[in-house]
Amino acid sequence: VFSRPVLIEVRIDLKIKNVDGLPSDTSDKIKKSILSYASGNFTDDNNNFNHKGFTIGDIVAISMLYTPVNAVIGQYNTYIKELKINDATVNLDILFNQLADFKEENITVAIDD
């Protein structure tokens, strides 16, 4: 018997503190990095991070989302002020038959001066 996973929409709200100036395309780069990480296409120079993405039944651990964000902003004097998944600051539980559904339009990046 074959069944398709139930898609669970993932909404990410991220606030970044801009200390010394970030490039104008930072928000777009962060969104692409998160999507790359979630789909298992994320790469880092030292190959130190989990690269499998989120598959069927995988909990979306909020701590794992710091990796793709820091891959973009880590070289700047800045930091993550707030990170929420579906309006919460806790992990998003995914059941054995569910799949986290990441879409660019559901990722909000606010950069505060």
Side-chain angles (χ1 to χ4, degrees):
V1 174
F2 174 78
S3 63
R4 298 196 183 278
V6 176
L7 297 180
I8 303 300
E9 181 179 85
V10 178
R11 292 179 326 280
I12 297 174
D13 294 304
L14 178 65
K15 291 182 182 173
I16 305 290
K17 177 64 176 171
N18 186 4
V19 178
D20 286 338
L22 292 168
S24 60
D25 62 347
T26 299
S27 290
D28 289 334
K29 284 183 176 179
I30 289 172
K31 290 178 184 182
K32 286 178 181 28
S33 186
I34 290 171
L35 293 172
S36 174
Y37 187 83
S39 67
N41 295 317
F42 180 80
T43 58
D44 65 277
D45 292 338
N46 297 318
N47 205 25
N48 291 325
F49 297 101
N50 178 337
H51 293 209
K52 75 176 185 68
F54 298 102
T55 58
I56 297 171
D58 281 349
I59 291 171
V60 180
I62 198 162
S63 61
M64 292 178 75
L65 295 178
Y66 284 90
T67 298
V69 176
N70 283 323
V72 175
I73 66 169
Q75 63 184 322
Y76 301 100
N77 184 17
T78 188
Y79 57 90
I80 298 170
K81 287 175 56 175
E82 183 177 79
L83 176 60
K84 289 185 178 181
I85 303 173
N86 291 6
D87 299 321
T89 57
V90 296
N91 299 340
L92 177 61
D93 290 330
I94 301 292
L95 300 177
F96 74 96
N97 64 337
Q98 296 176 332
L99 176 64
D101 187 23
F102 289 79
K103 294 181 180 165
E104 187 171 357
E105 60 267 19
N106 290 336
I107 302 172
T108 303
V109 180
I111 298 175
D112 301 332
D113 290 326

